[in-house]
């Protein structure tokens, strides 16, 4: 995954998290599920060895 893709995912995650906090969205909403999905993608990317 390119650095730009990684930054885009991190940016989307921050935006969604802020939206969830403002609206007080509970777990199980599409926004919270997307945050979980992004967390998994980021963890997979960080687990890969560089190079």
């Amino acid at each position: 995954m390119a650095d730009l893709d990684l930054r885009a995912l991190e940016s989307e995650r921050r935006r969604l998290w802020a939206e969830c906090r403002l609206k007080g969205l509970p777990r199980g909403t599409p926004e919270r599920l997307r945050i979980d999905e992004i967390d998994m993608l980021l963890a997979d990317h960080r687990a890969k060895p560089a190079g």
Side-chain angles (χ1 to χ4, degrees):
M1 184 181 306
D3 285 338
L4 292 177
D5 293 336
L6 182 62
R7 284 187 181 180
L9 283 175
E10 290 172 341
S11 175
E12 180 182 359
R13 186 190 186 288
R14 282 192 302 270
R15 183 187 58 79
L16 284 170
W17 184 247
E19 181 179 336
C20 290
R21 294 287 298 192
L22 281 173
K23 294 181 179 179
L25 298 176
R27 291 179 186 241
T29 58
E31 292 87 353
R32 295 286 296 260
L33 294 175
R34 177 65 180 152
I35 290 171
D36 292 340
E37 181 182 343
I38 292 171
D39 286 343
M40 286 189 300
L41 291 171
L42 292 173
D44 288 345
H45 175 71
R46 290 181 180 128
K48 291 180 184 177

